[in-house]
Amino acid sequence: MTNYTFRTWLLLVGLAVPPGIAALGAAPAGPGKRLADHPSHSVTISQGVGTFGYPDGVAVDANGSVYVVDTDNLVIKKISPAGEVTTLASAGFNYPTGVAVAPDGTVYVADAGSRTLKKVALSGEVTTVADGFNYPTGVAVAPDGTVYIADAGTEANKGLIRRLSPAGRLTTLAHGFNRPGGIAVAADGTVYVADTDNNAILKVGSSGQAATLASIGLNKPHGLTVDADGTVYVADTYNNSIQKVTSTGKVTMLADSLAYPAGVALAADGSVYVTDTGSGALKKVTPAGIISTLAASWARLSAYIIG
């Protein structure tokens, strides 16, 4: 079976693969970063030790449960507020990438390997709700149940933003993106897109008009999430950091010393969950920028810490 991962996605879209994620289970090249030596880190691994093969997309529901795309294992994991890690769905995926949770608790998954959008019921049953994508990488759900999908495409500047109505009608909202990697939708319906190969965050209106929100200092941005005030949180993958982008486009760093973060999701208390691909971990960043590790592949995390 072909094993698609974020590393594979980097190759397919023409990006250089960072040395730390060039092979399954590999720690970042060169001397390891000792997290204990960094004042913003604490390693507090819960019941999720050994949980992930390769975490990518992440989402949080209204009850505080966290959903993680475990790409290498082709499953969706669920982490309860108490830290218990379970498998929500383990069949029907072929390189899952992005994940989002609808207001009714339905989980949507961008399955790049099958070029489809999947839906996961509360029971764990997986069904296909839309197909015909080129390479879906990110997914977001609006308050009215409309699903937005970032389709990276197969060529530069051919990326699309697709929109699936609650009635099941799939349309193209906007086009011309350069390998979009992540997507988020605000309460007012504004769609935010990580235009990865252009190192930019774009905002897209309801009629499809796109404008650049931020483009300075970003390096292969991937996952996105947005808060009630319109602040966008970005997994700035090649800068190994999480950035905050205000509604006026000001970029500030929330946390650094990560290892190729891919996905971000915002909790009700303002904390940001991060899938840290280089260390194979799910991390939590407080509003003050304090990082803790909630669940991880211990072999990869220990290699990253010890070096």
Side-chain angles (χ1 to χ4, degrees):
M1 176 184 296
T2 299
N3 185 21
Y4 295 94
T5 65
F6 181 60
R7 297 178 296 275
T8 308
W9 178 83
L10 290 170
L11 292 170
L12 286 173
V13 301
L15 302 184
V17 179
I21 56 176
L24 177 62
K33 295 180 181 179
R34 297 179 179 272
L35 300 189
D37 294 340
H38 195 287
S40 69
H41 284 80
S42 64
V43 180
T44 55
I45 302 177
S46 65
Q47 300 166 358
V49 172
T51 299
F52 302 115
Y54 195 86
D56 194 346
V58 61
V60 182
D61 69 15
N63 298 318
S65 293
V66 182
Y67 300 82
V68 176
V69 173
D70 188 2
T71 302
D72 277 357
N73 290 323
L74 304 177
V75 299
I76 308 302
K77 297 285 189 176
K78 180 179 180 180
I79 300 91
S80 73
E84 180 183 5
V85 182
T86 57
T87 296
L88 174 66
S90 59
F93 297 112
N94 184 7
Y95 176 39
T97 51
V99 62
V101 184
D104 65 358
T106 299
V107 175
Y108 290 91
V109 180
D111 193 38
S114 66
R115 301 181 179 184
T116 62
L117 177 69
K118 306 280 189 180
K119 180 171 72 172
V120 184
L122 297 178
S123 64
E125 180 184 8
V126 180
T127 56
T128 298
V129 294
D131 58 12
F133 300 98
N134 291 307
Y135 202 82
T137 54
V139 59
V141 184
D144 67 354
T146 300
V147 183
Y148 295 87
I149 306 99
D151 188 347
T154 57
E155 300 178 39
N157 299 311
K158 297 293 186 180
L160 305 172
I161 302 303
R162 310 298 297 277
R163 179 169 54 190
L164 183 69
S165 73
R169 182 170 180 259
L170 183 65
T171 57
T172 297
L173 173 64
H175 58 84
F177 297 91
N178 198 1
R179 317 293 191 184
I183 191 167
V185 58
D188 65 359
T190 301
V191 175
Y192 296 90
V193 180
D195 200 21
T196 302
D197 267 16
N198 282 334
N199 295 317
I201 306 302
L202 305 184
K203 56 190 300 186
V204 183
S206 58
S207 63
Q209 70 278 16
T212 299
L213 176 65
S215 61
I216 303 298
L218 300 174
N219 194 354
K220 307 306 180 189
H222 193 63
L224 296 178
T225 189
V226 59
D227 69 14
D229 297 327
T231 298
V232 179
Y233 296 80
V234 182
D236 194 11
T237 303
Y238 275 33
N239 280 330
N240 298 310
S241 64
I242 305 301
Q243 308 283 358
K244 291 174 62 176
V245 183
T246 68
S247 58
T248 60
K250 181 182 178 181
V251 180
T252 57
M253 184 180 295
L254 175 63
D256 62 359
S257 295
L258 296 163
Y260 309 110
V264 288
L266 189 65
D269 66 357
S271 296
V272 178
Y273 291 96
V274 181
T275 48
D276 197 43
T277 61
S279 62
L282 173 65
K283 299 194 174 185
K284 183 178 181 179
V285 183
T286 70
I290 305 300
I291 303 172
S292 59
T293 298
L294 303 183
S297 171
W298 177 247
R300 292 178 65 192
L301 181 63
S302 61
Y304 177 68
I305 296 173
I306 298 170

